[in-house]
Amino acid sequence: MLLVRCPWCGPRDEIEFRYGGQAGLTYPADPEALSDEEWADYLFMRDNPKGPFRERWFHAAGCRRWFNAVRDTGTHRFVATYRLDEEPPV
Amino acid sequence: MDERTKYWRPAEPKPSYEVVIVGGGGHGLSTAYYLAKNHGITDVCVVEKGWLAGGNMARNTTIIRSNYLWDESAAIYEHSLKLWEGLEEELGADLQFSQRGVMNLAHDLGDVRSSVRRVEANRLNGVDAEWLTPEDVQAFCPIVNVSPDVRYPVLGATLQRRGGVARHDKVAWGYATAASNLGVDIVEHSEVTGFVRGTGGRVEGVETTRGTIRANRTALVAAGHTSVLAAMVGLRLPLQSHPLQALVSALYEPILDCVVMSNAVHVYVSQADKGELVMGAGIDAYNGYAQRGSFHVIEHQMAAALELFPIFEYASLLRTWAGIVDVCPDASPIVGPTPIDGLFLNCGWGTGGFKATPGSGWAFAELIATGASELARPYGLERFMTGALIDEHGAAAVAH
């Protein structure tokens, strides 16, 4: 069971949250210009590191706000959580 | 004598091979076996970072079935099931293969409709399938609670009588022994740390903790760690690695002589010959490589199991564990060449790889040996560019 630190509500049990996958993916600025390969990259290709991973979480049973986290996927340990308008910690 | 050396020949890695297979799990070993058996390619090395078949092969719930919806899936999983049906004889090994029947329960109207559709699709593809009414369900498996006043009433089920279970480690040992007897080297405790690159970036083998192993063709069969290996050659894949948990109860008298799966309530159950109830859950939502998951997933799974099987109320939990499953966006595997010359990929089997052990190795060996495989053709990486996805999410009779 993970203890997730919501940037607004503080540390809460994992069951209050929904997972949102990789953070920092942005919708293409000019989608019509994309090749099939570029669309595939945007839609399907994802980082999947064993180690620090920038990801999104949603506090579904709390403040119902999205936020970002850096979590080590090798240990499941959270390095940091931060608001969407904050830069990821180094 | 080491108990396991009765089975396969311990090998020191040679400087070079025709084919090096990264990953000594079920799929890697079956690939090696069929390369040697079907294609006469015996200059093969299987490198495994841990001990043989100690990853997902040791962590799955051993369910075997081929009742997938789409034609591409039915083809490869049914080919696999046919191989299972002759595998004990072929490998000369007792695999405790037991076609005790796999029942997939339907709990609401949507479930019923998709299940009946799948039964018909299966039959058109030559896959045995039956639709059972709640009364049929109770007759086939008397301990399932089919009363209508529960949260997830049983409205019926699909049944694949040829489905069942096998003893996972004996399958790995059987393939390893047969491959070893044909000349394949199996090198355990040898972790890949990099790749040998040749002209134009061609992959020409692997760097390992036991030295450099050159190879004309390199095959990645590394399940949950595929992305980590692919990143070493700059290859980004549509995979996410998640923990998938399972558990066993303490040992009980024989009470369950079939496999029962429920998509909606996220549980699948069989009883091992020794007596443990073997149960699996859905994946943990987050990415993770730690081979453990969160306990609330187990609690959720147990709640579902107890509603379906009230008789399990006093069963005690013996242990839980997790494997790392590599999941594709369409819940179907990737079996194909890569954009990098000399490098082949077999991954993305997600939550359902065990049943595919023979078919996956068969198709992948054919691809490596001949450059093409009809069974593997729909499963190439290019499907993510063309959009020809094989969407088995929800259609494959179980949640992913």
Side-chain angles (χ1 to χ4, degrees), chain A residues 14 47-48 50 71 73, chain B residues 225 227 236 240 287 289 294:
Chain A
E14 180 195 340
D47 295 336
N48 188 22
K50 183 177 186 177
R71 191 178 52 93
T73 60
Chain B
H225 276 78
S227 296
R236 202 157 170 254
Q240 297 283 271
N287 291 20
Y289 284 87
S294 295

Side-chain angles (χ1 to χ4, degrees), chain B residues 55-216:
Chain B
N56 292 351
M57 196 61 175
R59 294 162 185 274
N60 67 86
T61 52
T62 80
I63 297 170
I64 296 166
R65 60 189 177 87
S66 63
N67 56 348
Y68 283 70
L69 178 67
W70 300 111
D71 295 351
E72 299 88 344
S73 313
I76 196 163
Y77 289 108
E78 176 61 16
H79 184 73
S80 195
L81 180 50
K82 288 200 170 88
L83 290 172
W84 278 113
E85 287 173 326
L87 200 58
E88 292 186 320
E89 196 171 345
E90 166 143 14
L91 300 178
D94 171 18
L95 308 178
Q96 290 172 247
F97 177 57
S98 162
Q99 291 177 290
R100 57 186 63 181
V102 173
M103 197 163 62
N104 294 92
L105 303 177
H107 297 284
D108 58 37
L109 189 58
D111 263 359
V112 170
R113 285 174 175 159
S114 64
S115 299
V116 172
R117 178 190 181 201
R118 183 164 46 76
V119 164
E120 301 300 346
N122 288 163
R123 286 176 173 171
L124 287 171
N125 277 320
V127 176
D128 71 302
E130 295 166 42
W131 171 251
L132 304 185
T133 65
E135 295 71 33
D136 298 334
V137 169
Q138 188 149 54
F140 188 73
C141 185
I143 62 171
V144 173
N145 178 13
V146 296
S147 67
D149 58 345
V150 294
R151 186 172 176 197
Y152 299 104
V154 174
L155 301 185
T158 68
L159 172 63
Q160 183 175 26
R161 292 185 191 272
R162 289 164 60 238
V165 292
R167 179 62 197 249
H168 49 88
D169 43 14
K170 288 191 172 182
V171 175
W173 301 341
Y175 272 120
T177 306
S180 177
N181 288 342
L182 290 170
V184 171
D185 280 355
I186 295 166
V187 180
E188 295 172 89
H189 306 293
S190 176
E191 182 169 359
V192 169
T193 55
F195 289 83
V196 181
R197 306 301 293 271
T199 317
R202 188 176 193 281
V203 166
E204 296 182 342
V206 289
E207 309 284 355
T208 81
T209 49
R210 291 176 68 176
T212 302
I213 305 173
R214 303 188 73 89
N216 201 20

Side-chain angles (χ1 to χ4, degrees), chain A residues 14 18-21 57, chain B residues 241-243 282-287 296-297:
Chain A
E14 180 195 340
R18 290 287 179 272
Y19 186 63
W57 287 81
Chain B
S241 295
H242 294 271
I283 58 170
D284 280 65
Y286 50 78
N287 291 20
H296 69 85
V297 174

Side-chain angles (χ1 to χ4, degrees), chain B residues 127-382:
Chain B
V127 176
D128 71 302
E130 295 166 42
W131 171 251
L132 304 185
T133 65
E135 295 71 33
D136 298 334
V137 169
Q138 188 149 54
F140 188 73
C141 185
I143 62 171
V144 173
N145 178 13
V146 296
S147 67
D149 58 345
V150 294
R151 186 172 176 197
Y152 299 104
V154 174
L155 301 185
T158 68
L159 172 63
Q160 183 175 26
R161 292 185 191 272
R162 289 164 60 238
V165 292
R167 179 62 197 249
H168 49 88
D169 43 14
K170 288 191 172 182
V171 175
W173 301 341
Y175 272 120
T177 306
S180 177
N181 288 342
L182 290 170
V184 171
D185 280 355
I186 295 166
V187 180
E188 295 172 89
H189 306 293
S190 176
E191 182 169 359
V192 169
T193 55
F195 289 83
V196 181
R197 306 301 293 271
T199 317
R202 188 176 193 281
V203 166
E204 296 182 342
V206 289
E207 309 284 355
T208 81
T209 49
R210 291 176 68 176
T212 302
I213 305 173
R214 303 188 73 89
N216 201 20
R217 285 165 276 188
T218 301
L220 298 186
V221 199
H225 276 78
T226 300
S227 296
V228 176
L229 289 163
M232 293 177 188
V233 288
L235 189 60
R236 202 157 170 254
L237 297 171
L239 291 175
Q240 297 283 271
S241 295
H242 294 271
L244 175 64
Q245 299 190 70
L247 62 90
V248 290
S249 73
L251 277 59
Y252 296 104
E253 296 294 316
I255 187 68
L256 180 63
D257 65 355
C258 60
V259 181
V260 181
M261 309 179 70
S262 168
N263 185 359
V265 299
H266 264 297
V267 72
Y268 34 104
V269 192
S270 66
Q271 188 171 21
D273 291 352
K274 272 191 299 183
E276 304 108 314
L277 297 165
V278 183
M279 305 193 201
I283 58 170
D284 280 65
Y286 50 78
N287 291 20
Y289 284 87
Q291 289 186 322
R292 61 175 179 270
S294 295
F295 196 69
H296 69 85
V297 174
I298 298 289
E299 288 178 313
H300 179 64
Q301 172 196 9
M302 286 303 90
L306 285 184
E307 181 171 282
L308 287 175
F309 300 96
I311 197 173
F312 293 170
E313 184 179 3
Y314 297 104
S316 5
L317 181 65
L318 188 62
R319 64 178 180 277
T320 76
W321 65 89
I324 308 165
V325 298
D326 45 328
V327 180
C328 269
D330 59 354
S332 287
I334 299 166
V335 185
T338 68
I340 300 166
D341 194 24
L343 186 66
F344 296 82
L345 199 56
N346 185 353
C347 61
W349 290 93
T351 61
F354 177 74
K355 69 174 81 68
T357 302
S360 160
W362 176 289
F364 196 41
E366 188 178 31
L367 176 79
I368 295 166
T370 70
S373 163
E374 192 52 31
L375 286 173
R377 187 188 46 76
Y379 292 101
L381 266 176
E382 66 278 2

Side-chain angles (χ1 to χ4, degrees), chain A residues 9-57:
Chain A
C9 309
R12 297 291 189 91
D13 192 299
E14 180 195 340
I15 58 170
E16 294 185 12
F17 297 86
R18 290 287 179 272
Y19 186 63
Q22 183 175 350
L25 301 170
T26 50
Y27 191 75
D30 186 7
E32 289 181 21
L34 261 53
S35 67
D36 289 351
E37 287 73 20
E38 288 165 332
W39 263 120
D41 192 65
Y42 168 66
L43 283 176
F44 299 124
M45 303 302 162
R46 292 291 180 269
D47 295 336
N48 188 22
K50 183 177 186 177
F53 184 49
R54 280 180 62 206
E55 60 191 16
R56 303 184 306 162
W57 287 81

